Amino acid sequence: LVDASFMQAPARPPRAPKQGQEGPVKPSADRDARWGSKGGKSTFGYKMHIGVDQDHTIIRRVEASDASITDTEPADQLICGDEKAAYGDQAYYSHARHDRLAAANIKDRLMRRPNKHHPELPPRHKLRNRLIAKVRAAVERPFAVFKERYGMRRMRFFNLATNRTHCILAACAYNLRTMIGVIHP
């Protein structure tokens, strides 16, 4: 299961001068953070991308990037290659990724999205997306733990390298916490 989530930067975003005043844009203290948007809501910060195991939501791969990176760019890095199927939302589907998954004998369970040639999905794709969404929803659990229990709604550091390390360590902590429940149910 693959997904991504925004994490706000600890610094204020760059500010333009007030109306009627001349001058350059005041830069942010966090030079690696960028603007990203989803669903009409913009966020200044970073994005955490994860690939998790379907059965126990153990994080197998983690990547951090600035918020301007689309979900689909690091998606191939999140797929290990030994999976039986790859689940993801509509942002991850592309014909090239479908072909790569088929070549690796991995079932493509990425949700389909409408495009300019087919603005309305056929009923069979709508049903397929609903079935995939039920399985794919488990990937949201680690993000809830990161944001609610680990305080990662806002990142703590002012550069991408340190924030990437922070995300990796949070993923390790999440895996240790989850493995206790797997070993001793």
Side-chain angles (χ1 to χ4, degrees):
L1 311 175
V2 294
D3 202 11
S5 182
F6 286 117
M7 308 286 185
Q8 290 182 344
R12 291 182 179 175
R15 290 184 291 185
K18 295 180 181 178
Q19 287 184 341
Q21 293 182 352
E22 298 279 333
V25 172
K26 185 177 179 184
S28 172
D30 191 344
R31 298 192 186 278
D32 292 339
R34 298 288 180 266
W35 285 100
S37 64
K38 181 178 180 180
K41 182 180 176 188
S42 295
T43 303
F44 181 74
Y46 299 94
K47 195 181 274 190
M48 184 176 183
H49 311 267
I50 60 172
V52 303
D53 177 63
Q54 179 183 346
D55 297 329
H56 307 293
T57 66
I58 300 292
I59 298 173
R60 301 185 74 198
R61 298 275 173 105
V62 63
E63 182 61 42
S65 65
D66 63 65
S68 67
I69 301 296
T70 62
D71 291 357
T72 192
E73 289 180 45
D76 292 329
Q77 297 168 5
L78 301 175
I79 298 171
C80 297
D82 61 348
E83 297 91 350
K84 293 179 183 174
Y87 289 84
D89 61 18
Q90 295 176 358
Y92 293 98
Y93 181 76
S94 70
H95 292 294
R97 184 160 297 113
H98 173 77
D99 294 340
R100 281 194 295 274
L101 291 173
N105 272 345
I106 299 172
K107 293 179 183 174
D108 177 7
R109 297 293 186 256
L110 303 174
M111 295 171 72
R112 299 297 190 263
R113 63 179 166 200
N115 58 40
K116 65 181 180 181
H117 302 295
H118 305 283
E120 182 72 24
L121 282 177
R124 66 185 177 92
H125 283 316
K126 287 181 181 179
L127 175 62
R128 181 180 188 275
N129 284 354
R130 278 197 304 274
L131 295 173
I132 290 171
K134 291 177 184 177
V135 175
R136 195 201 67 76
V139 76
E140 303 295 342
R141 191 173 307 125
F143 291 122
V145 171
F146 294 145
K147 291 181 179 184
E148 297 296 325
R149 294 196 178 171
Y150 298 169
M152 291 179 67
R153 286 186 188 279
R154 182 179 299 273
M155 300 304 282
R156 294 185 179 144
F157 304 104
F158 288 90
N159 63 36
L160 178 60
T162 311
N163 284 324
R164 180 177 287 137
T165 303
H166 185 224
C167 290
I168 292 169
L169 291 174
C172 291
Y174 173 84
N175 282 347
L176 289 172
R177 178 181 169 275
T178 305
M179 283 305 295
I180 291 170
V182 171
I183 294 171
H184 302 289

